[in-house]
Amino acid sequence: MSRFVFLSIVFLSTAAIGQSKLNLNKDSIIQSIASDMVLVEAGPFTMGCTKEQGQDCFYWEKPDHLVMVDSFYISRYDVTQAQWAAVMDTNPSQHKNCPDCPAENISWNDAMAFITKLNKLTGKKYRLPTEAEWEYAARGGTKSKGYKYPGSNDIDLVAWYDADSKDTTHPVGKKQPNELGLYDMAGNVWQWCSDWFDLKYYISRPADNPKGPGMGTLRVIRGGSLTNFARVCRISYHNGTAPDKRFSNDGFRLAISH
């Protein structure tokens, strides 16, 4: 065997081993998504501008209203850059070189493309949480202690926001969790929900498992971000963004039905 042929075989074998390790790592990252899902037990809650939100509410957070939510699972963390790359083979995030930071610069349409591919890879039925599910989980579900922010009345304990983020995202799970063990429900990056956004939806919404208006031009986004002040990171605050728009403070977390 010539030296050239021998070296070629060694190179190809080494490349194959490297690719195999890469695939194994990607598979383990994808599998970690399932292990990070947290059960949110069914229950009623008051959604919107409740008393602990104080005088900070905007008119579109009103009126507060009773909602019943079925049991579901939600991600303990925002989808990370490592998880996004393992599924999509890309990293659109602007705050790069941080695999454990949340994936961002993600539109609602991008999140749906990720979910479609993830479901094909895993055989599961991941989805975005509804707005009602998101708020119920942020409040702590059946374990809620009635905090202003998800997990505390002191935003510094639970959120990366304009006062402490230094204009960059941070690895998930570094602040305190809420009552359900969910991290970064406020701050770091905004989180997409499945619903269309309507300023007047709370006036006539259904009481059982509301899923938002039947149509619209904006999708609901929740939780505030690294660039927002505390008032926007409150549990009841919600806003809308065009589903095709990408911003470096927009990310998402996953849900799956129980």
Side-chain angles (χ1 to χ4, degrees):
M1 180 183 296
S2 72
R3 180 180 300 177
F4 175 76
V5 173
F6 175 76
L7 291 175
S8 296
I9 291 173
V10 171
F11 174 77
L12 290 172
S13 298
T14 303
I17 292 171
Q19 186 62 44
S20 176
K21 288 183 177 179
L22 179 61
N23 290 338
L24 181 62
N25 187 48
K26 288 175 62 174
D27 289 344
S28 66
I29 291 172
I30 292 171
Q31 290 169 8
S32 73
I33 294 173
S35 63
D36 284 335
M37 301 303 290
V38 175
L39 175 63
V40 184
E41 295 181 349
F45 78 104
T46 303
M47 185 174 180
C49 185
T50 45
K51 62 181 181 180
E52 80 285 342
Q53 300 299 301
Q55 301 299 312
D56 289 335
C57 293
F58 294 87
Y59 73 87
W60 58 88
E61 299 173 49
K62 303 175 183 179
D64 62 8
H65 50 285
L66 188 65
V67 169
M68 179 68 193
V69 176
D70 291 340
S71 296
F72 66 101
Y73 291 89
I74 193 167
S75 302
R76 189 177 302 278
Y77 311 105
D78 298 316
V79 170
T80 65
Q81 293 182 31
Q83 290 170 336
W84 181 278
V87 173
M88 304 298 283
D89 294 316
T90 63
N91 184 6
S93 302
Q94 292 191 21
H95 304 279
K96 292 186 186 296
N97 302 316
C98 183
D100 293 331
C101 287
E104 31 81 5
N105 204 30
I106 305 295
S107 71
W108 188 92
N109 293 339
D110 293 336
M112 296 303 293
F114 173 92
I115 290 169
T116 297
K117 189 168 182 180
L118 177 63
N119 287 343
K120 288 181 179 178
L121 290 170
T122 62
K124 297 183 181 294
K125 295 182 179 179
Y126 292 107
R127 56 180 176 81
L128 291 175
T130 66
E131 180 180 19
E133 288 174 335
W134 188 96
E135 184 170 323
Y136 182 51
R139 288 179 179 276
T142 59
K143 300 178 181 179
S144 177
K145 295 180 180 179
Y147 292 128
K148 184 173 185 176
Y149 307 101
S152 180
N153 288 324
D154 183 351
I155 189 172
D156 292 319
L157 298 178
V158 295
W160 298 107
Y161 67 119
D162 69 342
D164 68 354
S165 70
K166 298 181 180 179
D167 292 322
T168 188
T169 56
H170 294 262
V172 299
K174 297 301 183 183
K175 296 272 188 169
Q176 292 182 10
N178 78 345
E179 299 93 319
L180 293 175
L182 305 177
Y183 293 84
D184 304 296
M185 289 295 282
N188 225 0
V189 293
W190 287 98
Q191 299 155 55
W192 289 108
C193 294
S194 60
D195 309 38
W196 290 109
F197 179 74
D198 185 339
L199 289 171
K200 298 180 180 180
Y201 180 67
Y202 283 6
I203 297 173
S204 58
R205 79 288 164 272
D208 292 338
N209 298 300
K211 294 179 171 60
M215 62 183 67
T217 57
L218 307 176
R219 291 287 184 176
V220 171
I221 202 160
R222 282 288 200 141
S225 78
L226 68 149
T227 63
N228 296 114
F229 49 89
R231 185 182 184 187
V232 172
C233 296
R234 291 175 298 102
I235 285 174
S236 67
Y237 184 81
H238 66 155
N239 213 328
T241 300
D244 61 342
K245 297 298 183 183
R246 298 184 180 98
F247 298 99
S248 61
N249 58 349
D250 289 354
F252 66 107
R253 70 180 65 218
L254 299 168
I256 194 167
S257 299
H258 183 46

mmCIF file with all atom_site columns, all heavy atoms in Angstrom, residues 104-123:
data_model
loop_
_atom_site.group_PDB
_atom_site.id
_atom_site.type_symbol
_atom_site.label_atom_id
_atom_site.label_alt_id
_atom_site.label_comp_id
_atom_site.label_asym_id
_atom_site.label_entity_id
_atom_site.label_seq_id
_atom_site.pdbx_PDB_ins_code
_atom_site.Cartn_x
_atom_site.Cartn_y
_atom_site.Cartn_z
_atom_site.occupancy
_atom_site.B_iso_or_equiv
_atom_site.pdbx_formal_charge
_atom_site.auth_seq_id
_atom_site.auth_comp_id
_atom_site.auth_asym_id
_atom_site.auth_atom_id
_atom_site.pdbx_PDB_model_num
ATOM 1   N N   . GLU A 1 104 ? -31.638 33.645 19.598 1.00 0.00 ? 104 GLU A N   1
ATOM 2   C CA  . GLU A 1 104 ? -32.393 34.881 19.361 1.00 0.00 ? 104 GLU A CA  1
ATOM 3   C C   . GLU A 1 104 ? -32.222 35.308 17.909 1.00 0.00 ? 104 GLU A C   1
ATOM 4   O O   . GLU A 1 104 ? -31.627 34.585 17.112 1.00 0.00 ? 104 GLU A O   1
ATOM 5   C CB  . GLU A 1 104 ? -32.000 35.985 20.339 1.00 0.00 ? 104 GLU A CB  1
ATOM 6   C CG  . GLU A 1 104 ? -30.578 35.979 20.845 1.00 0.00 ? 104 GLU A CG  1
ATOM 7   C CD  . GLU A 1 104 ? -29.571 36.582 19.894 1.00 0.00 ? 104 GLU A CD  1
ATOM 8   O OE1 . GLU A 1 104 ? -29.943 37.111 18.842 1.00 0.00 ? 104 GLU A OE1 1
ATOM 9   O OE2 . GLU A 1 104 ? -28.367 36.532 20.222 1.00 0.00 ? 104 GLU A OE2 1
ATOM 10  N N   . ASN A 1 105 ? -32.771 36.473 17.622 1.00 0.00 ? 105 ASN A N   1
ATOM 11  C CA  . ASN A 1 105 ? -32.909 36.884 16.223 1.00 0.00 ? 105 ASN A CA  1
ATOM 12  C C   . ASN A 1 105 ? -33.804 35.887 15.492 1.00 0.00 ? 105 ASN A C   1
ATOM 13  O O   . ASN A 1 105 ? -33.586 35.560 14.327 1.00 0.00 ? 105 ASN A O   1
ATOM 14  C CB  . ASN A 1 105 ? -31.533 36.989 15.546 1.00 0.00 ? 105 ASN A CB  1
ATOM 15  C CG  . ASN A 1 105 ? -31.543 37.930 14.363 1.00 0.00 ? 105 ASN A CG  1
ATOM 16  O OD1 . ASN A 1 105 ? -32.301 38.893 14.334 1.00 0.00 ? 105 ASN A OD1 1
ATOM 17  N ND2 . ASN A 1 105 ? -30.701 37.652 13.377 1.00 0.00 ? 105 ASN A ND2 1
ATOM 18  N N   . ILE A 1 106 ? -34.817 35.417 16.223 1.00 0.00 ? 106 ILE A N   1
ATOM 19  C CA  . ILE A 1 106 ? -35.729 34.373 15.756 1.00 0.00 ? 106 ILE A CA  1
ATOM 20  C C   . ILE A 1 106 ? -37.109 34.969 15.545 1.00 0.00 ? 106 ILE A C   1
ATOM 21  O O   . ILE A 1 106 ? -37.707 35.509 16.481 1.00 0.00 ? 106 ILE A O   1
ATOM 22  C CB  . ILE A 1 106 ? -35.838 33.234 16.795 1.00 0.00 ? 106 ILE A CB  1
ATOM 23  C CG1 . ILE A 1 106 ? -34.464 32.662 17.154 1.00 0.00 ? 106 ILE A CG1 1
ATOM 24  C CG2 . ILE A 1 106 ? -36.784 32.142 16.312 1.00 0.00 ? 106 ILE A CG2 1
ATOM 25  C CD1 . ILE A 1 106 ? -33.758 31.978 16.035 1.00 0.00 ? 106 ILE A CD1 1
ATOM 26  N N   . SER A 1 107 ? -37.641 34.887 14.348 1.00 0.00 ? 107 SER A N   1
ATOM 27  C CA  . SER A 1 107 ? -39.019 35.313 14.097 1.00 0.00 ? 107 SER A CA  1
ATOM 28  C C   . SER A 1 107 ? -39.985 34.214 14.542 1.00 0.00 ? 107 SER A C   1
ATOM 29  O O   . SER A 1 107 ? -39.582 33.066 14.794 1.00 0.00 ? 107 SER A O   1
ATOM 30  C CB  . SER A 1 107 ? -39.224 35.613 12.611 1.00 0.00 ? 107 SER A CB  1
ATOM 31  O OG  . SER A 1 107 ? -39.204 34.412 11.847 1.00 0.00 ? 107 SER A OG  1
ATOM 32  N N   . TRP A 1 108 ? -41.254 34.567 14.609 1.00 0.00 ? 108 TRP A N   1
ATOM 33  C CA  . TRP A 1 108 ? -42.282 33.555 14.914 1.00 0.00 ? 108 TRP A CA  1
ATOM 34  C C   . TRP A 1 108 ? -42.260 32.467 13.841 1.00 0.00 ? 108 TRP A C   1
ATOM 35  O O   . TRP A 1 108 ? -42.341 31.274 14.169 1.00 0.00 ? 108 TRP A O   1
ATOM 36  C CB  . TRP A 1 108 ? -43.659 34.224 14.978 1.00 0.00 ? 108 TRP A CB  1
ATOM 37  C CG  . TRP A 1 108 ? -44.775 33.349 15.458 1.00 0.00 ? 108 TRP A CG  1
ATOM 38  C CD1 . TRP A 1 108 ? -45.210 33.216 16.748 1.00 0.00 ? 108 TRP A CD1 1
ATOM 39  C CD2 . TRP A 1 108 ? -45.626 32.499 14.671 1.00 0.00 ? 108 TRP A CD2 1
ATOM 40  N NE1 . TRP A 1 108 ? -46.270 32.341 16.814 1.00 0.00 ? 108 TRP A NE1 1
ATOM 41  C CE2 . TRP A 1 108 ? -46.553 31.894 15.559 1.00 0.00 ? 108 TRP A CE2 1
ATOM 42  C CE3 . TRP A 1 108 ? -45.702 32.192 13.313 1.00 0.00 ? 108 TRP A CE3 1
ATOM 43  C CZ2 . TRP A 1 108 ? -47.524 30.998 15.117 1.00 0.00 ? 108 TRP A CZ2 1
ATOM 44  C CZ3 . TRP A 1 108 ? -46.675 31.296 12.875 1.00 0.00 ? 108 TRP A CZ3 1
ATOM 45  C CH2 . TRP A 1 108 ? -47.575 30.706 13.767 1.00 0.00 ? 108 TRP A CH2 1
ATOM 46  N N   . ASN A 1 109 ? -42.124 32.863 12.592 1.00 0.00 ? 109 ASN A N   1
ATOM 47  C CA  . ASN A 1 109 ? -42.056 31.886 11.507 1.00 0.00 ? 109 ASN A CA  1
ATOM 48  C C   . ASN A 1 109 ? -40.841 30.983 11.650 1.00 0.00 ? 109 ASN A C   1
ATOM 49  O O   . ASN A 1 109 ? -40.912 29.771 11.375 1.00 0.00 ? 109 ASN A O   1
ATOM 50  C CB  . ASN A 1 109 ? -42.013 32.598 10.147 1.00 0.00 ? 109 ASN A CB  1
ATOM 51  C CG  . ASN A 1 109 ? -43.307 33.322 9.824  1.00 0.00 ? 109 ASN A CG  1
ATOM 52  O OD1 . ASN A 1 109 ? -44.361 33.013 10.373 1.00 0.00 ? 109 ASN A OD1 1
ATOM 53  N ND2 . ASN A 1 109 ? -43.235 34.310 8.946  1.00 0.00 ? 109 ASN A ND2 1
ATOM 54  N N   . ASP A 1 110 ? -39.712 31.542 12.068 1.00 0.00 ? 110 ASP A N   1
ATOM 55  C CA  . ASP A 1 110 ? -38.509 30.741 12.298 1.00 0.00 ? 110 ASP A CA  1
ATOM 56  C C   . ASP A 1 110 ? -38.744 29.710 13.397 1.00 0.00 ? 110 ASP A C   1
ATOM 57  O O   . ASP A 1 110 ? -38.326 28.551 13.284 1.00 0.00 ? 110 ASP A O   1
ATOM 58  C CB  . ASP A 1 110 ? -37.333 31.635 12.706 1.00 0.00 ? 110 ASP A CB  1
ATOM 59  C CG  . ASP A 1 110 ? -36.871 32.570 11.603 1.00 0.00 ? 110 ASP A CG  1
ATOM 60  O OD1 . ASP A 1 110 ? -37.098 32.265 10.416 1.00 0.00 ? 110 ASP A OD1 1
ATOM 61  O OD2 . ASP A 1 110 ? -36.288 33.619 11.940 1.00 0.00 ? 110 ASP A OD2 1
ATOM 62  N N   . ALA A 1 111 ? -39.396 30.142 14.469 1.00 0.00 ? 111 ALA A N   1
ATOM 63  C CA  . ALA A 1 111 ? -39.679 29.229 15.581 1.00 0.00 ? 111 ALA A CA  1
ATOM 64  C C   . ALA A 1 111 ? -40.552 28.069 15.121 1.00 0.00 ? 111 ALA A C   1
ATOM 65  O O   . ALA A 1 111 ? -40.334 26.912 15.507 1.00 0.00 ? 111 ALA A O   1
ATOM 66  C CB  . ALA A 1 111 ? -40.351 29.986 16.729 1.00 0.00 ? 111 ALA A CB  1
ATOM 67  N N   . MET A 1 112 ? -41.525 28.364 14.272 1.00 0.00 ? 112 MET A N   1
ATOM 68  C CA  . MET A 1 112 ? -42.396 27.308 13.758 1.00 0.00 ? 112 MET A CA  1
ATOM 69  C C   . MET A 1 112 ? -41.623 26.344 12.856 1.00 0.00 ? 112 MET A C   1
ATOM 70  O O   . MET A 1 112 ? -41.864 25.131 12.868 1.00 0.00 ? 112 MET A O   1
ATOM 71  C CB  . MET A 1 112 ? -43.572 27.926 12.997 1.00 0.00 ? 112 MET A CB  1
ATOM 72  C CG  . MET A 1 112 ? -44.496 28.760 13.874 1.00 0.00 ? 112 MET A CG  1
ATOM 73  S SD  . MET A 1 112 ? -45.184 27.838 15.275 1.00 0.00 ? 112 MET A SD  1
ATOM 74  C CE  . MET A 1 112 ? -46.226 26.666 14.413 1.00 0.00 ? 112 MET A CE  1
ATOM 75  N N   . ALA A 1 113 ? -40.670 26.862 12.082 1.00 0.00 ? 113 ALA A N   1
ATOM 76  C CA  . ALA A 1 113 ? -39.841 25.996 11.238 1.00 0.00 ? 113 ALA A CA  1
ATOM 77  C C   . ALA A 1 113 ? -38.984 25.078 12.110 1.00 0.00 ? 113 ALA A C   1
ATOM 78  O O   . ALA A 1 113 ? -38.811 23.889 11.803 1.00 0.00 ? 113 ALA A O   1
ATOM 79  C CB  . ALA A 1 113 ? -38.960 26.841 10.324 1.00 0.00 ? 113 ALA A CB  1
ATOM 80  N N   . PHE A 1 114 ? -38.432 25.617 13.193 1.00 0.00 ? 114 PHE A N   1
ATOM 81  C CA  . PHE A 1 114 ? -37.658 24.814 14.144 1.00 0.00 ? 114 PHE A CA  1
ATOM 82  C C   . PHE A 1 114 ? -38.526 23.703 14.721 1.00 0.00 ? 114 PHE A C   1
ATOM 83  O O   . PHE A 1 114 ? -38.102 22.534 14.795 1.00 0.00 ? 114 PHE A O   1
ATOM 84  C CB  . PHE A 1 114 ? -37.129 25.710 15.256 1.00 0.00 ? 114 PHE A CB  1
ATOM 85  C CG  . PHE A 1 114 ? -36.446 24.985 16.379 1.00 0.00 ? 114 PHE A CG  1
ATOM 86  C CD1 . PHE A 1 114 ? -35.073 24.783 16.358 1.00 0.00 ? 114 PHE A CD1 1
ATOM 87  C CD2 . PHE A 1 114 ? -37.163 24.524 17.474 1.00 0.00 ? 114 PHE A CD2 1
ATOM 88  C CE1 . PHE A 1 114 ? -34.435 24.123 17.404 1.00 0.00 ? 114 PHE A CE1 1
ATOM 89  C CE2 . PHE A 1 114 ? -36.536 23.857 18.518 1.00 0.00 ? 114 PHE A CE2 1
ATOM 90  C CZ  . PHE A 1 114 ? -35.175 23.656 18.490 1.00 0.00 ? 114 PHE A CZ  1
ATOM 91  N N   . ILE A 1 115 ? -39.720 24.046 15.145 1.00 0.00 ? 115 ILE A N   1
ATOM 92  C CA  . ILE A 1 115 ? -40.617 23.069 15.762 1.00 0.00 ? 115 ILE A CA  1
ATOM 93  C C   . ILE A 1 115 ? -40.994 21.976 14.768 1.00 0.00 ? 115 ILE A C   1
ATOM 94  O O   . ILE A 1 115 ? -41.022 20.781 15.109 1.00 0.00 ? 115 ILE A O   1
ATOM 95  C CB  . ILE A 1 115 ? -41.864 23.779 16.319 1.00 0.00 ? 115 ILE A CB  1
ATOM 96  C CG1 . ILE A 1 115 ? -41.475 24.613 17.546 1.00 0.00 ? 115 ILE A CG1 1
ATOM 97  C CG2 . ILE A 1 115 ? -42.956 22.776 16.682 1.00 0.00 ? 115 ILE A CG2 1
ATOM 98  C CD1 . ILE A 1 115 ? -42.558 25.553 18.027 1.00 0.00 ? 115 ILE A CD1 1
ATOM 99  N N   . THR A 1 116 ? -41.263 22.349 13.535 1.00 0.00 ? 116 THR A N   1
ATOM 100 C CA  . THR A 1 116 ? -41.609 21.358 12.505 1.00 0.00 ? 116 THR A CA  1
ATOM 101 C C   . THR A 1 116 ? -40.470 20.362 12.319 1.00 0.00 ? 116 THR A C   1
ATOM 102 O O   . THR A 1 116 ? -40.685 19.138 12.279 1.00 0.00 ? 116 THR A O   1
ATOM 103 C CB  . THR A 1 116 ? -41.914 22.062 11.171 1.00 0.00 ? 116 THR A CB  1
ATOM 104 O OG1 . THR A 1 116 ? -43.067 22.893 11.340 1.00 0.00 ? 116 THR A OG1 1
ATOM 105 C CG2 . THR A 1 116 ? -42.193 21.047 10.071 1.00 0.00 ? 116 THR A CG2 1
ATOM 106 N N   . LYS A 1 117 ? -39.247 20.858 12.231 1.00 0.00 ? 117 LYS A N   1
ATOM 107 C CA  . LYS A 1 117 ? -38.094 19.974 12.032 1.00 0.00 ? 117 LYS A CA  1
ATOM 108 C C   . LYS A 1 117 ? -37.823 19.138 13.277 1.00 0.00 ? 117 LYS A C   1
ATOM 109 O O   . LYS A 1 117 ? -37.521 17.941 13.190 1.00 0.00 ? 117 LYS A O   1
ATOM 110 C CB  . LYS A 1 117 ? -36.858 20.788 11.651 1.00 0.00 ? 117 LYS A CB  1
ATOM 111 C CG  . LYS A 1 117 ? -35.687 19.918 11.228 1.00 0.00 ? 117 LYS A CG  1
ATOM 112 C CD  . LYS A 1 117 ? -34.573 20.723 10.590 1.00 0.00 ? 117 LYS A CD  1
ATOM 113 C CE  . LYS A 1 117 ? -33.443 19.802 10.128 1.00 0.00 ? 117 LYS A CE  1
ATOM 114 N NZ  . LYS A 1 117 ? -32.328 20.576 9.496  1.00 0.00 ? 117 LYS A NZ  1
ATOM 115 N N   . LEU A 1 118 ? -37.935 19.762 14.456 1.00 0.00 ? 118 LEU A N   1
ATOM 116 C CA  . LEU A 1 118 ? -37.732 19.038 15.708 1.00 0.00 ? 118 LEU A CA  1
ATOM 117 C C   . LEU A 1 118 ? -38.724 17.887 15.845 1.00 0.00 ? 118 LEU A C   1
ATOM 118 O O   . LEU A 1 118 ? -38.357 16.775 16.262 1.00 0.00 ? 118 LEU A O   1
ATOM 119 C CB  . LEU A 1 118 ? -37.872 19.993 16.886 1.00 0.00 ? 118 LEU A CB  1
ATOM 120 C CG  . LEU A 1 118 ? -37.769 19.385 18.288 1.00 0.00 ? 118 LEU A CG  1
ATOM 121 C CD1 . LEU A 1 118 ? -36.398 18.770 18.519 1.00 0.00 ? 118 LEU A CD1 1
ATOM 122 C CD2 . LEU A 1 118 ? -38.076 20.441 19.350 1.00 0.00 ? 118 LEU A CD2 1
ATOM 123 N N   . ASN A 1 119 ? -39.968 18.122 15.500 1.00 0.00 ? 119 ASN A N   1
ATOM 124 C CA  . ASN A 1 119 ? -40.983 17.075 15.597 1.00 0.00 ? 119 ASN A CA  1
ATOM 125 C C   . ASN A 1 119 ? -40.711 15.922 14.629 1.00 0.00 ? 119 ASN A C   1
ATOM 126 O O   . ASN A 1 119 ? -40.960 14.755 14.947 1.00 0.00 ? 119 ASN A O   1
ATOM 127 C CB  . ASN A 1 119 ? -42.373 17.670 15.357 1.00 0.00 ? 119 ASN A CB  1
ATOM 128 C CG  . ASN A 1 119 ? -42.845 18.510 16.532 1.00 0.00 ? 119 ASN A CG  1
ATOM 129 O OD1 . ASN A 1 119 ? -42.303 18.410 17.631 1.00 0.00 ? 119 ASN A OD1 1
ATOM 130 N ND2 . ASN A 1 119 ? -43.841 19.344 16.308 1.00 0.00 ? 119 ASN A ND2 1
ATOM 131 N N   . LYS A 1 120 ? -40.181 16.230 13.466 1.00 0.00 ? 120 LYS A N   1
ATOM 132 C CA  . LYS A 1 120 ? -39.806 15.173 12.520 1.00 0.00 ? 120 LYS A CA  1
ATOM 133 C C   . LYS A 1 120 ? -38.647 14.342 13.059 1.00 0.00 ? 120 LYS A C   1
ATOM 134 O O   . LYS A 1 120 ? -38.595 13.126 12.876 1.00 0.00 ? 120 LYS A O   1
ATOM 135 C CB  . LYS A 1 120 ? -39.445 15.783 11.167 1.00 0.00 ? 120 LYS A CB  1
ATOM 136 C CG  . LYS A 1 120 ? -40.633 16.317 10.385 1.00 0.00 ? 120 LYS A CG  1
ATOM 137 C CD  . LYS A 1 120 ? -40.210 16.894 9.036  1.00 0.00 ? 120 LYS A CD  1
ATOM 138 C CE  . LYS A 1 120 ? -41.407 17.395 8.254  1.00 0.00 ? 120 LYS A CE  1
ATOM 139 N NZ  . LYS A 1 120 ? -41.003 17.996 6.951  1.00 0.00 ? 120 LYS A NZ  1
ATOM 140 N N   . LEU A 1 121 ? -37.706 15.000 13.725 1.00 0.00 ? 121 LEU A N   1
ATOM 141 C CA  . LEU A 1 121 ? -36.539 14.305 14.269 1.00 0.00 ? 121 LEU A CA  1
ATOM 142 C C   . LEU A 1 121 ? -36.885 13.447 15.482 1.00 0.00 ? 121 LEU A C   1
ATOM 143 O O   . LEU A 1 121 ? -36.266 12.401 15.704 1.00 0.00 ? 121 LEU A O   1
ATOM 144 C CB  . LEU A 1 121 ? -35.465 15.322 14.663 1.00 0.00 ? 121 LEU A CB  1
ATOM 145 C CG  . LEU A 1 121 ? -34.758 16.061 13.530 1.00 0.00 ? 121 LEU A CG  1
ATOM 146 C CD1 . LEU A 1 121 ? -33.907 17.199 14.091 1.00 0.00 ? 121 LEU A CD1 1
ATOM 147 C CD2 . LEU A 1 121 ? -33.892 15.104 12.730 1.00 0.00 ? 121 LEU A CD2 1
ATOM 148 N N   . THR A 1 122 ? -37.858 13.893 16.274 1.00 0.00 ? 122 THR A N   1
ATOM 149 C CA  . THR A 1 122 ? -38.149 13.224 17.547 1.00 0.00 ? 122 THR A CA  1
ATOM 150 C C   . THR A 1 122 ? -39.440 12.416 17.555 1.00 0.00 ? 122 THR A C   1
ATOM 151 O O   . THR A 1 122 ? -39.634 11.582 18.439 1.00 0.00 ? 122 THR A O   1
ATOM 152 C CB  . THR A 1 122 ? -38.237 14.263 18.679 1.00 0.00 ? 122 THR A CB  1
ATOM 153 O OG1 . THR A 1 122 ? -39.325 15.171 18.404 1.00 0.00 ? 122 THR A OG1 1
ATOM 154 C CG2 . THR A 1 122 ? -36.938 15.054 18.792 1.00 0.00 ? 122 THR A CG2 1
ATOM 155 N N   . GLY A 1 123 ? -40.320 12.664 16.600 1.00 0.00 ? 123 GLY A N   1
ATOM 156 C CA  . GLY A 1 123 ? -41.620 12.003 16.604 1.00 0.00 ? 123 GLY A CA  1
ATOM 157 C C   . GLY A 1 123 ? -42.574 12.566 17.645 1.00 0.00 ? 123 GLY A C   1
ATOM 158 O O   . GLY A 1 123 ? -43.628 11.987 17.899 1.00 0.00 ? 123 GLY A O   1
#
